[in-house]
Amino acid sequence: MFDIAFDNVNEIIDMNGHGIYVWSVYSIAISIIIVSFIVAKNRIKGVKRKIKIKNAPS
Amino acid sequence: MISAFIHKFSSPKSFVQITKTLYPLFIFTGLSMLIIGWTWGLLFAPPDAVQGNSYRIIFLHVPAVIFAELIYFFMALCALMHIVWRVKLAAYLIKSAAPIGAMITFIGLFSGSIWGIPTWGTWWQWDARITSTLILFIMYLGILTLHGSFSNLEKSDRLMSILVVIGVVNIPIIKKSVDWWSTLHQPASISVSGGSSIDPSMLYPLIISIIGLGFTLISLGILSSRSYILSREKNKKWVLKHV
């Protein structure tokens, strides 16, 4: 169960011609998830900044 | 009594405090399990006898569509809480979960389409499963658009909750579509009630990927809801203290 299914890196990339489908799907999905986290983190920072500015002593 | 219990444990303040503590645990568990599940599935699981290596998309596609449906189901429960008991937090959670639901449904549709090219010879087919999942994606976008269309946020919350409850009828349709109609999409390979047509060498990394993506999406939900709650409650004392 824990033997690697490929003999070398080229086989991993190519996956018998299916690599283009497999790797493109994973890369795009991972990118979308990472961007979602960055956007969510930035939103929190933005909201906190706005609240601080609004309530800053003049 | 139920109402008092729900109101006690559903204050936005408690939610932000509790989830702030849980976030590091959830994100660590989610990412670790995703890395293990995907590495196992992509590199160590054997190729499928019929589909070859293209089946490895399953470790992303299946978790994505499972959570596309589960997030909507969660939103429907929140919508009921908001309509029946007027729980503010429930509406905030719907608004925060909808973009994540749309994102993961898009990933499910996209990964399925790419998987369809080598497997079915087409990237799209108007069959029951794919079409009902596309409707789910449109529902998510509709919910977000509806909520953004009103300046009165309380009214938006209420209308959004009603739309979410109406749209939940699509979830059993997605689930049962492969049984009710003859579709290009294959029937479910794994079931909660037991029984699986997948070999354990493929099933275990799939289960780990499902749990990993679940925790990762909960972590994303925590961040998304935190920013939305802070912006909606910005005039409250506890928010000023928190910031």
Side-chain angles (χ1 to χ4, degrees):
Chain A
M1 192 181 277
F2 292 104
D3 291 328
I4 193 156
F6 305 94
D7 289 331
N8 54 53
V9 178
N10 285 339
E11 270 192 19
I12 292 173
I13 295 167
D14 186 54
M15 290 192 168
N16 291 330
H18 292 148
I20 181 77
Y21 306 113
V22 175
W23 294 118
S24 60
V25 162
Y26 278 87
S27 356
I28 291 170
I30 290 168
S31 308
I32 292 173
I33 293 170
I34 291 172
V35 168
S36 304
F37 269 94
I38 294 169
V39 168
K41 285 241 173 201
N42 284 343
R43 268 202 195 133
I44 294 177
K45 277 185 195 165
V47 171
K48 282 185 175 177
R49 200 182 305 125
K50 270 186 191 170
I51 295 171
K52 274 181 189 168
I53 291 169
K54 196 182 163 198
N55 294 286
S58 49
Chain B
M1 192 178 155
I2 297 171
S3 176
F5 176 82
I6 287 173
H7 278 97
K8 190 178 176 187
F9 291 98
S10 60
S11 88
K13 183 186 171 186
S14 321
F15 179 83
V16 168
Q17 284 168 345
I18 294 167
T19 53
K20 199 175 180 183
T21 320
L22 290 174
Y23 176 77
L25 177 72
F26 283 4
I27 189 74
F28 176 77
T29 311
L31 292 182
S32 315
M33 293 190 82
L34 262 190
I35 290 168
I36 295 168
W38 284 353
T39 308
W40 189 348
L42 285 168
L43 302 180
F44 293 91
D48 182 71
V50 179
Q51 299 182 38
N53 286 305
S54 68
Y55 96 95
R56 294 182 196 278
I57 295 173
I58 199 173
F59 302 107
L60 170 68
H61 176 73
V62 169
V65 290
I66 285 175
F67 287 105
E69 292 168 45
L70 276 183
I71 290 173
Y72 198 93
F73 190 69
F74 165 76
M75 284 167 53
L77 290 178
C78 289
L80 271 180
M81 283 178 71
H82 185 250
I83 293 168
V84 178
W85 291 293
R86 305 246 171 186
V87 177
K88 266 193 308 181
L89 178 65
Y92 297 169
L93 292 180
I94 298 171
K95 175 65 179 60
S96 311
I100 300 169
M103 181 267 287
I104 206 66
T105 310
F106 174 78
I107 290 176
L109 283 168
F110 166 77
S111 56
S113 292
I114 300 289
W115 193 2
I117 298 170
T119 316
W120 298 335
T122 179
W123 66 275
W124 189 263
Q125 187 77 31
W126 291 101
D127 91 338
R129 172 60 70 86
I130 306 170
T131 308
S132 52
T133 309
L134 178 67
I135 291 170
L136 178 67
F137 179 63
I138 295 167
M139 281 298 300
Y140 278 123
L141 298 183
I143 288 159
L144 289 168
T145 309
L146 177 76
H147 194 270
S149 319
F150 295 90
S151 52
N152 182 339
L153 290 172
E154 276 74 33
K155 191 178 176 187
S156 293
D157 290 344
R158 196 145 183 84
L159 289 172
M160 175 182 70
S161 301
I162 293 167
L163 181 62
V164 170
V165 171
I166 293 168
V168 82
V169 72
N170 189 35
I171 300 299
I173 293 175
I174 297 174
K175 185 88 189 106
K176 287 286 173 189
S177 56
V178 285
D179 303 321
W180 290 342
W181 295 284
S182 171
T183 66
L184 186 60
H185 197 285
Q186 67 185 68
S189 307
I190 52 171
S191 151
V192 180
S193 54
S196 162
S197 57
I198 305 181
D199 187 78
S201 60
M202 300 166 179
L203 181 64
Y204 296 152
L206 179 58
I207 291 170
I208 294 171
S209 305
I210 292 169
I211 299 169
L213 189 66
F215 275 103
T216 307
L217 292 177
I218 291 172
S219 309
L220 184 57
I222 288 174
L223 291 183
S224 172
S225 55
R226 201 190 294 167
S227 68
Y228 189 66
I229 289 170
L230 291 179
S231 71
R232 281 289 293 266
E233 304 261 303
K234 60 180 179 253
N235 296 323
K236 300 276 168 67
K237 271 185 183 173
W238 73 267
V239 172
L240 297 177
K241 268 189 184 175
H242 179 83
V243 170

